[in-house]
Amino acid sequence: MMRKSLLVSKPAAIYFDSSKWNVRQFARTCLSLIHKWHQNAKTRKQLANMPSYLLHDIGLTKSEVYHEIQKKFWQ
């Protein structure tokens, strides 16, 4: 049986078996991925708006924050 890669994501790849492809499983996987992307964008937006004293409290520098918020939502 040959396996094909559907999506590649850190830390693991999501696979489907072409002979037993399941639409519901695919839809759940897509929705889960969209939710993760939304969370990434939302969290980075909150981080970008955080005042300096809170960044200091959680142990982040402005350069670390800048590096993080420059990432694309899928990263």
Side-chain angles (χ1 to χ4, degrees):
M1 209 177 328
M2 185 174 209
R3 301 193 98 175
K4 295 183 180 180
S5 176
L6 177 62
L7 299 170
V8 178
S9 174
K10 293 178 188 173
I14 301 169
Y15 294 95
F16 75 95
D17 182 345
S18 60
S19 65
K20 297 180 181 179
W21 190 72
N22 185 332
V23 174
R24 272 192 229 163
Q25 182 179 2
F26 178 75
R28 275 194 298 261
T29 300
C30 288
L31 289 175
S32 176
L33 192 57
I34 290 168
H35 176 73
K36 179 181 176 184
W37 289 345
H38 177 68
Q39 282 298 112
N40 286 350
K42 180 180 172 184
T43 303
R44 289 180 181 136
K45 185 176 180 180
Q46 290 171 340
L47 190 59
N49 294 323
M50 203 174 270
S52 295
Y53 73 93
L54 289 179
L55 293 175
H56 179 72
D57 283 352
I58 61 174
L60 293 176
T61 64
K62 288 216 178 245
S63 64
E64 290 171 325
V65 170
Y66 179 78
H67 177 71
E68 184 64 29
I69 63 175
Q70 293 304 310
K71 292 181 181 178
K72 305 295 184 197
F73 64 88
W74 61 84
Q75 295 176 319

